[in-house]
Structures are given as structure tokens and as C-alpha cells.
Amino acid sequence: MNHVLIGISGGIAAYKVCEIVSSLAKRGIEVRVILTRSATEFVTPLTFATLSRQPAYTDADFWQPSHGRPLHIELAEWADLFLLAPVTANTLAKLAYGMADNLLTNTVLASNCPMLFAPAMNTTMWLQTSVQENWRKVLQDSRYTAIAPTDGILACDAVGTGRMAEPEVILEYIESFLLTGGKRDLKGKHILVNAGGTREFIDPVRFIGNPSTGKQGIAIAKAAIHRGAKVTLVSTASSPLPMGEGPAAVKVARTSAEMHRAMLEEFPHADITIAAAAVGDVRSQLNSDRKLPKSELPLNLQLEYIPDIVADLASRKRLDQILVGFAAQTGDEEEVIAAAKEKLARKGLDAIAANAVNSLQTGFGTDTNQATFIHKNGHRQSTPICSKLELAHRLFDFLQS
């Protein structure tokens, strides 16, 4: 069983941590919570003890006579992952300078597991020179991974940067870190990913398309961010990415032509490109700029082939670049693998993920997936049915094996 220790500082964003604790406990992850004295002014220890089904600790527990090993040592050694959320300006300063004046900060210094921290404070406070210096200082420690604050309306009615990341974003980081042990092996790398199903328009309201939602490509982009990479996502829909330590950009491309242009523009800068989008194979020669009346719609559409984006990228690939494709196939395992191997060779890829889409658990729009990764050198590895985020991490592990 995975052990997640959560440290809560005194900020209004403490209420968001209730959802995180509850979600983790429901997934069978053992959670324990430490609250600073000021954190108890926002949410009670009883709330977290109830949600986690475990004791919630405060400074009152820290200063009690010990009947065994010191509490901060026990908690530090118990944790597989330590989440600090929210991190206030006060706690950030303590982290930056290694201070230990309460149970939370003593436990931080006594631990050696990966640390996630999510700051939250008023915009003016966040932008203070001293706070930004402390932020940068903490990030110099390789054990710490930041979940950066976001823009929005704050509790004080100010609008700007300072909102703690939403629970679903933090939960995805936790899932990634429990899978990888907090690896930051993509730091310094630029990862380019495309996602979603393209639409080839007949007129402004009708198109030829496919059921792809882009979930797998977006999960790959998030996994790369969690592992420290700079990421560019070219998606058929606007898909916000978490703010990691490296920059992340999203470009929207609805049609194959738009996606082709965007990928060609970004490809020269990428170390690893993963083409997870379901790009159309054909498009209508008819493309009206006005909605056509039903009576004007041709019963027999004249179609033309769409240029192959991945094959074009492969023809431009440098020796230091890695290009990975996806093969969404139907049929039994043997048919899926055979089709993927043919695409791997024909398109000149470094690796391909063979993915059966004729399954309720691995088809378009599902939250789970399964794939067989095939390298051009013949190395092959299959995954179990798992979350799309886990499959993304398994793909990055495969590429580096």
C-alpha cells in the first residue's frame, strides 16, 4: 500500500485538501495529515482524520512526551510521498532556509522521500521579491517538485497569480509520483505531443471525423511535465496543462492541415515527439464557407487523401530526435501488432504504440488504455489495462530502457 503524508499550512486553500485526502483514501492509498497551528483555524484535525481514516497530527502531538520513537521521525520514514499544500509565504520561507520550529517542518527535514509542494497566497504577497527568491531557492533542491499557483479570483477578491492548483491537478501529480518514485528524468528535454481527432469540414457545421477525445495524448503531455520536461501540446481542443517548472504550451489545431503546420513548426525544437492524435486519412474536396442546405449536399462526396503528418516528420528527423507513433487498430492481438509493425517500418518511426480500440476499456474516450510498445530495434513490451496517465509513464520508461 502506498503511503502519502500531507502537510497543511494556514491558508484558506486548506479546504481544497479535503477533496485530495478523501479521493486518495477512496483509492486505497493510506493518508496521514499534519496541520500547522494556523491550519487548524481553517479546517479541523477531526475533518482530516475522518476523511483519511487515520489520525491527523498537530503541534500538540509533537510536544507530548514520546512513548516510542519521535513522531516526526516515524512520520518521515513512513511516507512514500510528502505533499505540502497549501504552502504559505511563511512555510515557503522555512523550507527555503531549512527551519524546523513545528511538527510539519521537522518532519520535512527528517524525510528523504519525494516532495510535492503547492503554494497559495495573495498575488501581491506572491510577487514580493523575497517570496520569489524563496521559491527559486526551494526549487534548487532536486527533492522538491513545484505545483505552481495559477491565475484567478482569490479569496481576497484580488485577481492574479496565487490560487493553489486545483485538487484534480494535484491528484494527477500524486498518481505520477507514486508510479515513478518522483523521477525527474525528462528535465531539460522538450517533448512535443499531438492529441485528439481531427475534423475535415464539408461546411462550417458538417465534417468527417473520428471519436478520439485526445485523453491519451493529454495524459502523455501531463506525464512529461510531471517528469520535468518542457512540453508543447498540439491538440484539437483547448486543453489546459499544469504549470510545471518548465514552460508548457498548448496549440489548438482542429483540422489535419492546421495540425500539420503546427507540428512542422514545433518539430525542430523537440527532443521527443509523440504523435498520439487520430489524424484523418481522407477529406472532402468540397469545403464550403457557408452552411449548405440539405438539398445542396452531394450524396457522393469526392474525397482526397490527407498528407501523412508522421511520415513527413520522419523524413525531417535529425539523428538526435526520437519520433513515436500510435497505431489505433481493431482486431485480435496478432492483427493489431502486425499492423503496428508495418506502420513502424513504412513511416520510419523510432517506436510505435499498438493500441486496440475495439474494447470497452481501451477504445476512444475511455479513462483506461492498454498498448504494446514496439521499438525499431525489435524490443517489445506490453502494458496491462491501466489509467492513461500510467500508460504514458510506461511509454517514457520504455523509450529510455
Side-chain angles (χ1 to χ4, degrees):
M1 178 181 289
N2 289 311
H3 297 164
V4 176
L5 183 60
I6 300 180
I8 304 172
S9 302
I12 186 60
Y15 82 91
K16 291 183 178 181
V17 186
C18 294
E19 182 178 341
I20 295 170
V21 172
S22 178
S23 295
L24 292 174
K26 289 175 181 176
R27 297 177 191 180
I29 295 171
E30 194 168 331
V31 185
R32 294 184 183 176
V33 175
I34 300 172
L35 297 95
T36 65
R37 182 189 58 77
S38 54
T40 63
E41 300 292 330
F42 293 92
V43 186
T44 67
L46 178 60
T47 298
F48 288 112
T50 303
L51 292 173
S52 67
R53 290 75 159 171
Q54 297 286 339
Y57 302 97
T58 67
D59 284 351
D61 301 296
F62 186 38
W63 302 119
Q64 291 298 316
S66 176
H67 298 288
R69 303 178 71 215
L71 179 59
H72 64 296
I73 304 298
E74 289 282 4
L75 290 173
E77 293 180 353
W78 172 87
D80 297 315
L81 174 66
F82 202 158
L83 168 69
L84 304 175
V87 172
T88 59
N90 185 46
T91 297
L92 183 64
K94 292 178 182 181
L95 296 176
Y97 289 93
M99 294 178 63
D101 64 348
N102 57 20
L103 175 59
L104 176 57
T105 50
N106 272 273
T107 308
V108 167
L109 293 187
S111 67
N112 57 19
C113 63
M115 305 281 300
L116 286 169
F117 73 110
M121 65 194 75
N122 166 269
T123 300
T124 304
M125 295 172 67
W126 172 248
L127 295 177
Q128 289 292 335
T129 300
S130 57
V131 172
Q132 289 300 302
E133 286 177 351
N134 290 338
W135 165 254
R136 288 188 291 270
K137 187 174 177 64
V138 172
L139 290 179
Q140 290 172 5
D141 187 333
S142 61
R143 193 161 69 101
Y144 288 90
T145 297
I147 308 176
T150 62
D151 295 341
I153 301 175
L154 308 181
C156 58
D157 294 329
V159 177
T161 303
R163 285 177 59 89
M164 190 179 85
E166 294 304 314
E168 58 267 27
V169 173
I170 295 175
L171 285 165
E172 287 174 338
Y173 265 95
I174 291 172
E175 180 182 355
S176 284
F177 271 51
L178 291 177
L179 287 168
T180 67
K183 282 192 294 192
R184 310 286 288 160
D185 52 353
L186 294 180
K187 197 162 188 174
K189 299 291 187 182
H190 185 180
I191 311 298
L192 173 61
V193 184
N194 65 6
T198 58
R199 299 180 174 188
E200 309 305 326
F201 286 89
I202 300 167
D203 66 16
V205 298
R206 301 180 181 93
F207 60 86
I208 300 172
N210 61 67
S212 175
T213 59
K215 286 184 178 181
Q216 185 61 72
I218 294 167
I220 291 169
K222 289 177 178 178
I225 290 171
H226 297 165
R227 293 170 85 135
K230 173 184 177 181
V231 172
T232 300
L233 172 66
V234 179
S235 173
T236 55
S238 180
S239 308
L241 294 176
M243 293 297 293
E245 294 169 34
V250 179
K251 292 191 171 186
V252 178
R254 292 191 303 167
T255 68
S256 60
E258 291 171 350
M259 183 166 285
H260 203 151
R261 285 194 297 271
M263 293 297 286
L264 286 178
E265 182 180 341
E266 296 296 331
F267 184 65
H269 313 297
D271 297 295
I272 302 173
T273 297
I274 301 178
V279 180
D281 295 306
V282 295
R283 60 191 171 205
S284 169
Q285 291 182 356
L286 172 63
N287 186 355
S288 174
D289 60 3
R290 66 180 181 90
K291 180 184 176 182
L292 297 172
K294 184 176 180 179
S295 59
E296 293 184 24
L297 286 172
L299 294 180
N300 296 298
L301 278 177
Q302 296 297 311
L303 302 177
E304 61 184 12
Y305 285 114
I306 294 171
D308 191 316
I309 297 174
V310 175
D312 191 11
L313 296 179
S315 70
R316 303 165 186 261
K317 186 172 74 72
R318 301 188 308 270
L319 291 177
D320 63 330
Q321 291 180 298
I322 295 173
L323 178 59
V324 182
F326 265 70
Q329 301 295 142
T330 60
D332 59 28
E333 182 180 4
E334 187 176 329
E335 291 172 316
V336 170
I337 298 297
K341 290 173 73 173
E342 187 277 329
K343 286 185 178 181
L344 174 69
R346 172 168 51 85
K347 298 191 179 189
L349 305 176
D350 294 296
I352 196 165
N355 175 213
V357 294
N358 55 329
S359 163
L360 293 177
Q361 293 177 291
T362 64
F364 292 121
T366 60
D367 291 325
T368 55
N369 207 351
Q370 188 277 332
T372 297
F373 307 136
I374 307 168
H375 197 274
K376 66 181 180 182
N377 64 11
H379 180 46
R380 176 170 149 182
Q381 181 179 311
S382 294
T383 75
I385 294 175
C386 58
S387 73
K388 291 188 171 178
L389 187 62
E390 180 175 345
L391 189 139
H393 283 295
R394 287 176 176 270
L395 175 57
F396 283 121
D397 289 341
F398 175 80
L399 293 176
Q400 297 179 84
S401 63

